[in-house]
Amino acid sequence: MKAADTNTMARAGKVSWALFNPKTYATILYLLLSLPLGIIYLIVAVTGLALSIGLTPVFIGIPLFFGVAKMLDGMVKFEQSLIRHILGLPTPPASAPSQPQTAVGQNWLQRMVKGFDGELFFRNLMLVFLRFVTGIVFFAVMITAISLGLGFIALPVVHIILMNEMQLDILENNLFQYFHIDWTYNQQYLLYVGFGLVLFLIALRVVNGLMQVQRRIMYVDESYLQPSPEPVETPFHGPAEPHYGEFRQEDQLAQEKVWLA
């Protein structure tokens, strides 16, 4: 792939105008579901590997191990396709199979062994563990960032409700009185709402940044960076040049015509 195509794919999926972009809110939903999905992936992977190792003496663990490897590959590909769909990335081109077709006479165990890729298996296993860790960290960061922004925006409404229903003034001891700034409640409301909007916009940018980090962790762009097959150049055959003997024959005929004339 050319450098220009690589830069274009690197810029694809970036979110601009985060507040009005549906990708932002799809990313929020994805990060909300990332915590339970990460736990499910880890439980399935650990349980499958433990059962395959424990049942190896009775031969059931061997095919179970290859089944777990296939399942891990399916989990990683599902996550990649989910991120690709949320960011609006195009479907990657189908890659040519790296291994030849299996022979007709082989049984199912030989086919599984032949199709097993150890490097891909360990990479998928590490990605499942990373998916669990990032699911917890990204969930906590997103909830904290969004809650701060929405909390300041909703602070005036909460203060009015508490004052009317419970006669509780949560703004009685604040920084304005500490610095001897005599602001009315309405002026404080405007400041809190404006500060909350700024925090909320920053939180949306943080959410989109977390998705870009997750995109790199899960190797989403790997399928686009595969080198495309080079076109086969057909040799160019120019017009056939006459041999030296043909030139001699043409010269002799021309001389004979001159003599006859």
Side-chain angles (χ1 to χ4, degrees):
M1 180 177 288
K2 297 180 180 180
D5 297 336
T6 305
N7 295 332
T8 302
M9 185 51 60
R11 290 193 299 267
K14 297 294 182 65
V15 178
S16 57
W17 297 97
L19 183 62
F20 304 102
N21 200 318
K23 293 180 183 179
T24 302
Y25 303 99
T27 301
I28 293 175
L29 180 60
Y30 170 79
L31 294 179
L32 286 175
L33 295 176
S34 63
L35 181 59
L37 281 178
I39 295 174
I40 293 173
Y41 293 158
L42 183 65
I43 291 175
V44 172
V46 172
T47 305
L49 289 176
L51 286 176
S52 62
I53 295 173
L55 296 176
T56 300
V58 293
F59 188 72
I60 302 177
I62 298 176
L64 183 61
F65 173 78
F66 292 112
V68 171
K70 284 288 185 183
M71 187 167 51
L72 290 177
D73 188 57
M75 291 177 184
V76 173
K77 288 182 178 178
F78 172 74
E79 281 293 319
Q80 291 175 344
S81 63
L82 195 60
I83 296 174
R84 212 175 282 125
H85 179 71
I86 291 174
L87 296 180
L89 297 173
T91 304
S95 57
S98 58
Q99 296 179 352
Q101 297 293 332
T102 56
V104 180
Q106 293 179 346
N107 55 25
W108 57 272
L109 182 59
Q110 292 175 339
R111 290 195 297 270
M112 284 194 299
V113 172
K114 202 172 191 62
F116 178 73
D117 189 350
E119 183 179 354
L120 182 63
F121 168 74
F122 285 109
R123 193 198 75 168
N124 291 336
L125 185 60
M126 291 299 103
L127 288 181
V128 169
F129 279 99
L130 281 175
R131 181 68 178 77
F132 171 72
V133 175
T134 56
I136 297 175
V137 175
F138 291 175
F139 180 85
V141 171
M142 181 193 66
I143 292 297
T144 303
I146 293 179
S147 298
L148 283 175
L150 293 180
F152 278 100
I153 293 174
L155 182 60
V157 178
V158 175
H159 180 257
I160 293 173
I161 293 175
L162 292 178
M163 285 287 292
N164 294 334
E165 299 296 331
M166 304 176 59
Q167 286 73 44
L168 179 62
D169 189 3
I170 59 177
L171 299 179
E172 183 178 0
N173 298 318
N174 51 31
L175 292 176
F176 295 99
Q177 292 186 358
Y178 182 79
F179 290 103
H180 304 286
I181 300 175
D182 190 14
W183 278 20
T184 63
Y185 283 142
N186 290 332
Q187 291 174 330
Q188 295 181 31
Y189 292 163
L190 292 176
L191 178 63
Y192 289 137
V193 171
F195 186 63
L197 286 174
V198 173
L199 286 180
F200 184 70
L201 292 176
I202 295 175
L204 294 183
R205 300 301 300 178
V206 169
V207 166
N208 291 318
L210 293 177
M211 176 57 89
Q212 296 300 325
V213 174
Q214 188 74 6
R215 169 186 175 181
R216 290 177 174 85
I217 290 176
M218 298 303 295
Y219 293 98
V220 174
D221 296 335
E222 184 182 26
S223 301
Y224 303 105
L225 301 179
Q226 296 295 332
S228 58
E230 298 180 356
V232 180
E233 296 182 358
T234 57
F236 175 74
H237 298 285
E241 297 181 357
H243 297 286
Y244 178 72
E246 295 178 359
F247 281 115
R248 293 293 302 272
Q249 293 178 359
E250 291 178 357
D251 293 340
Q252 291 178 0
L253 292 175
Q255 291 178 1
E256 291 177 358
K257 289 181 179 179
V258 172
W259 292 341
L260 293 175

